[in-house]
Amino acid sequence: MNHSLGKCVAFFSAGQLGQEHGSYDLDRLAGATRKVPAWGTGLFAALFALVGLAPFATFMSEFQVARAAVDHRAWAPLAVLLAGLFIVLTGALRLVLPAVWAGKREGEPAAPTNWTARLLVWLPLGVLLVLGIWMPAAARSALEQAASIVSGQP
C-alpha cells in the first residue's frame, strides 16, 4: 500500500511535469519546483517516500526489516539491505534533484495549479506521512494477519 501510494504521486507528478515542459527528458524539466510547484514538489516528495526516507511509511517498513535482521543477528542480509538502500537513494537523487531544483528558465512564469492537482499530490503523501508516524489498529492487525499467512503460521 505504501509503495503504491508513492508511485501514484510520482507518476502523476512526472506525467504532469512532462506535459507542462513538453518533454519527459529529465534534463528539460529543470526548475520543476519553481515552474509547477505542486507537481515538482510532489515528484521530489514521492521520491523520498519511495526510497524509504523518514518519516514516510515506507521507512517504517524498511526499518522493521532492518530491526528483524539485527534481532536475528543476520548481519549479511542487513549489510545487503543497507547497501541496496544507499545505492537506490543516491541513484534516485542523482537523477531527480537537478530536474526539480535547477534554476527556472528566464521569462517562464510559474504555472497555476488547481485544487485537484494539489489534492492528487498532497492527499496520498499525507497518508504516507500519517502511516509513517501512526498506524491504525485495524490496519496493523490486517498486516499482521497477512504476514502470518505468508509465513505459514496459524
Side-chain angles (χ1 to χ4, degrees), residues 76-126:
L78 177 63
V80 170
L81 171 69
L82 294 177
L85 291 174
F86 177 76
I87 290 167
V88 167
L89 174 65
T90 56
L93 288 178
R94 184 182 66 80
L95 291 173
V96 174
L97 274 177
V100 296
W101 291 111
K104 182 172 65 170
R105 293 177 183 88
E106 292 299 319
E108 289 185 276
T113 307
N114 62 27
W115 68 271
T116 55
R118 289 187 180 113
L119 185 67
L120 284 171
V121 170
W122 297 113
L123 182 63
L125 287 174

Side-chain angles (χ1 to χ4, degrees), residues 8-20 23-24 26 29 39 42-43:
C8 285
V9 175
F11 282 120
F12 284 143
S13 298
Q16 188 65 33
L17 287 171
Q19 289 178 358
E20 291 286 336
S23 172
Y24 294 96
L26 284 175
L29 297 180
W39 297 113
L43 180 62

Side-chain angles (χ1 to χ4, degrees), residues 18-112:
Q19 289 178 358
E20 291 286 336
H21 286 81
S23 172
Y24 294 96
D25 182 5
L26 284 175
D27 292 335
R28 297 206 45 212
L29 297 180
T33 55
R34 291 180 184 90
K35 184 174 180 187
V36 190
W39 297 113
T41 305
L43 180 62
F44 188 66
L47 168 77
F48 272 27
L50 286 170
V51 298
L53 293 180
F56 292 106
T58 45
F59 169 78
M60 290 307 294
S61 301
E62 292 167 355
F63 178 74
Q64 290 173 356
V65 170
R67 188 176 73 184
V70 169
D71 290 347
H72 290 91
R73 299 181 193 274
W75 306 119
L78 177 63
V80 170
L81 171 69
L82 294 177
L85 291 174
F86 177 76
I87 290 167
V88 167
L89 174 65
T90 56
L93 288 178
R94 184 182 66 80
L95 291 173
V96 174
L97 274 177
V100 296
W101 291 111
K104 182 172 65 170
R105 293 177 183 88
E106 292 299 319
E108 289 185 276

Side-chain angles (χ1 to χ4, degrees), residues 128-139:
L128 285 172
L129 182 62
V130 168
L131 291 176
I133 298 168
W134 169 77
M135 171 110 23

